[in-house]
Amino acid sequence: MQIHQLALSVTINELRDGLRAGLEKAKASGQGAGQLDGFTDPDVKVKDGALVFSVKKKMGFIPVALSASVTPKALSDGQGITLTLNKVNAAGILGGATAAGALMQQLAAAVAGRPGLSVVGNDLVITKDALAALPNFAITGAIKALDVFSDQIALTIG
């Protein structure tokens, strides 16, 4: 038997639960010790075909809302995905496309030399091989599509 195409979907609620669990696990394991202090309430929503990730960060006594709008897409050759950072927002004061560019420069430095990861403009490019290195996520076929719907993300492989 051969499977020629596979469609995988993750609901926004599953993604939200994964973000919350991931933050708590990272805090508990000491991973990013100090850097994650004060971060609470991670969330994700869909707006205009993009994923809007948000979190609260306690700065002094005041919780500040931070968010980032990201558009995921499959690469045209099927060999990976791009995550385009559209804009970032910090408490409605700081952010926008200019802040996204500065953040992407920092991300480029952080992923430099890591196989399968690169930054081009405001795009984080993740190859199929880098995705396959994730636990329980071995992709061997071409990534045909990555679509964001109001309640789920769908990945088509084949």
Side-chain angles (χ1 to χ4, degrees), residues 84-111:
T84 303
L85 181 59
N86 304 312
K87 64 181 178 178
V88 294
N89 189 353
I93 303 168
L94 172 67
T98 304
L103 188 60
M104 291 308 289
Q105 288 177 347
Q106 291 179 352
L107 183 59
V111 302

Side-chain angles (χ1 to χ4, degrees), residues 47 49-51 68-72 83-88 96-98 100-101 122:
K47 183 177 180 183
L51 299 170
S69 172
V70 177
T71 302
L83 302 175
T84 303
L85 181 59
N86 304 312
K87 64 181 178 178
V88 294
T98 304
N122 280 11

Side-chain angles (χ1 to χ4, degrees), residues 72-136:
K73 291 193 177 175
L75 291 174
S76 59
D77 65 1
Q79 297 305 302
I81 63 171
T82 61
L83 302 175
T84 303
L85 181 59
N86 304 312
K87 64 181 178 178
V88 294
N89 189 353
I93 303 168
L94 172 67
T98 304
L103 188 60
M104 291 308 289
Q105 288 177 347
Q106 291 179 352
L107 183 59
V111 302
R114 293 191 176 198
L117 299 175
S118 62
V119 172
V120 179
N122 280 11
D123 292 341
L124 171 62
V125 180
I126 307 169
T127 66
K128 207 170 60 164
D129 291 337
L131 289 171
L134 295 171
N136 303 317

